Amino acid sequence: MPAGPPAEPAAAPNDPLAIVRTRGYVSVLVISALLGVPISAGAFGFLALVSELQSLVYSDLPKSLGFQGTPDWWAIPLLAVAGVLVVLTIRYLPGGGGHKPAEGLKTGGTPSFAAVPGVVIAAVTSLSLGVVLGPEAPLIALGGGLAVGAVRLLKRDAPPSAVAVIGAAGSFAAISELLGSPLVGAFLLMEASGLGGPMMGVVLVPGLLSAGIGSLIFTGLGAWTGLGTYSLALSHVPAVGRPTLGEFAWAIVAGVLAALLGEAIRRSSLALQGLVDRRRLPLTVLMGLAIGVIALLYAVITERPATGVLFSGQDALGPLLADSAGYTAATLIALLVCKSLAYCASMSAFRGGPVFPALFVGAVGGLALSHLPGLGTTAGFAIGIGAMTVAMLKLPLTSVMLATLLLGTEGLTVMPLVIAAVVVAYVGTLRLTRLPAGPPPEARPQAAAPAA
């Protein structure tokens, strides 16, 4: 019998060039592109739902009950209800409602399709009722889980490596436009997942393809529905001059302060999380009540709306910068303290992402510093965002990109200041971070004795 056509040679597992040349990799790219459309549409729907529920609960409902505006105490009962609903989701649905935000932004491993309903319910409940967390972590889990579910439904014998890559591409698509640019989302996932080495491009290319398509879908749906893109963007940024020596000094100070504040928030939230895990229902409700009381105290002290402390802070960044002249230093410090406390309580018990509250806390801190001599408003805003983001996430490249691209052309001018603040905060955070306990002395390997 005549010999059949020669079989396609198997790709070496760690040879990126060989993998890219296989037919299977082309299939992964096609699937990633196709899945980018429905996943990004689902992510858009998630963000739209959260936004509409926030408006309904905090604006329309008080008016329908006869209030002239939203009472400052309004969030307290709502956050208690959020605590009950989140606990029920964590307890009875697969996946525990998603990852615990106090433990950082986790993206490793193959996403779970079974966990998607619990992640969505816990996140929508938390974010729409005023918890101080962001949507990025739930969107990452949502996009990855939906992609993995679709692949396993269409091709049950798909190799685990292909499933993992397509799951990552789904996560890229879900946050494609959330951070203002598909490139920022790509860097965030790349740093958070620890991608590196020669295989980085193999995994990154399908994700970038899905992110690009997802960005187009976000833009199209935003224009078609009139709801906007829910993208992190600032429309009015004050002009800034070239960095000065004094501003570099303030960038170093901001980096040190951000490392100290970030580590205090992280340790406190982890300590509270340990308590909440032991008695989840009553203590989750208590954390919700605490967030509401903190927001009420801020409103009483500053005579500003309690909603300044609530929510992720994503939509409040632009108004904060635009109205920065209307904030006194004392008001900014009160906002910084209250937002940090509410952020800490939120991470200890609820579900969501840690990114946007870190951006907001950093922005407030930077604006507070700008009241001191030698630091401009835009420069302070930028270095605060970069320093606090890296203090909470430990992702230096993403932190620099977020702080600079967010400000557009002015961000390029202040980039050297942002880099200085991020480096100082990153090194300071690593120095302050508690290392895990090592193995006992008898378990540690002994050095080999030199040969005679």
Side-chain angles (χ1 to χ4, degrees):
M1 295 180 62
E8 183 178 345
N14 292 316
D15 183 357
L17 291 178
I19 292 174
V20 169
R21 290 170 179 165
T22 61
R23 295 178 183 173
Y25 189 72
V26 176
S27 300
V28 167
L29 290 176
V30 172
I31 293 173
S32 298
L34 294 176
L35 289 178
V37 175
I39 289 174
S40 56
F44 182 91
F46 172 90
L47 294 171
L49 176 62
V50 169
S51 178
E52 292 301 312
L53 287 176
Q54 287 177 353
S55 178
L56 173 67
V57 172
Y58 278 90
S59 180
D60 298 342
L61 184 57
K63 291 178 182 177
S64 67
L65 293 177
F67 293 101
Q68 295 298 320
T70 304
D72 293 332
W73 53 262
W74 187 256
I76 296 176
L78 291 177
L79 287 162
V81 172
V84 174
L85 296 177
V86 169
V87 168
L88 293 176
T89 303
I90 292 172
R91 184 171 293 174
Y92 295 110
L93 291 180
H99 89 288
K100 298 177 179 180
E103 298 176 3
L105 188 64
K106 295 183 177 180
T107 62
T110 303
S112 169
F113 176 71
V116 168
V119 168
V120 171
I121 294 173
V124 168
T125 301
S126 297
L127 303 181
S128 62
L129 294 183
V131 171
V132 186
L133 292 171
E136 69 287 342
L139 284 179
I140 290 170
L142 170 67
L146 290 177
V148 167
V151 170
R152 288 181 171 159
L153 179 66
L154 297 173
K155 188 173 178 60
R156 301 196 176 200
D157 60 344
S161 58
V163 173
V165 171
I166 293 173
S171 296
F172 276 67
I175 65 166
S176 58
E177 194 65 19
L178 180 65
L179 298 174
S181 167
L183 191 58
V184 180
F187 268 89
L188 174 69
L189 288 171
M190 181 179 69
E191 281 197 289
S193 62
L195 289 175
M199 297 300 293
M200 180 179 68
V202 174
V203 180
L204 192 59
V205 168
L208 285 173
L209 178 61
S210 287
I213 292 173
S215 180
L216 291 175
I217 299 299
F218 261 68
T219 302
L221 287 175
W224 178 58
T225 62
L227 296 174
T229 61
Y230 304 104
S231 175
L232 182 63
L234 302 179
S235 55
H236 301 288
V237 179
V240 63
R242 294 180 62 83
T244 65
L245 186 60
E247 288 177 328
F248 272 103
W250 282 121
I252 294 172
V253 171
V256 172
L257 294 177
L260 293 171
L261 178 58
E263 191 62 19
I265 293 173
R266 182 183 300 104
R267 291 189 186 187
S268 299
S269 62
L270 287 171
L272 288 173
Q273 177 183 281
L275 297 175
V276 170
D277 286 345
R278 295 174 198 164
R279 302 191 64 186
R280 181 164 294 282
L281 180 58
L283 291 183
T284 300
V285 173
L286 181 61
M287 289 299 105
L289 291 172
I291 297 166
V293 170
I294 292 167
L296 174 61
L297 288 175
Y298 169 76
V300 171
I301 293 170
T302 65
E303 299 183 352
R304 285 182 170 267
T307 50
V309 170
L310 303 174
F311 309 118
S312 69
Q314 173 188 355
D315 296 330
L317 275 174
L320 175 69
L321 180 59
D323 190 33
S324 58
Y327 284 83
T328 64
T331 300
L332 288 169
I333 291 172
L335 180 56
L336 176 69
V337 172
C338 291
K339 191 78 172 185
S340 298
L341 291 173
Y343 183 25
C344 176
S346 298
M347 288 200 297
S348 70
F350 291 91
R351 294 296 184 262
V355 176
F356 287 106
L359 292 174
F360 189 84
V361 169
V364 173
L367 289 177
L369 282 178
S370 70
H371 280 259
L372 298 172
L375 182 63
T377 299
T378 302
F381 187 84
I383 64 176
I385 287 177
M388 197 63 200
T389 302
V390 79
M392 293 305 300
L393 304 182
K394 301 178 185 175
L395 305 176
L397 291 177
T398 300
S399 301
V400 171
M401 290 190 68
L402 270 172
T404 54
L405 294 182
L406 178 62
L407 298 174
T409 55
E410 305 299 334
L412 297 177
T413 303
V414 298
M415 181 184 288
L417 300 175
V418 173
I419 292 173
V422 166
V423 169
V424 172
Y426 181 61
V427 174
T429 299
L430 295 183
R431 295 291 298 269
L432 291 170
T433 300
R434 290 176 177 171
L435 298 176
E442 60 272 13
R444 293 173 184 159
Q446 301 294 322

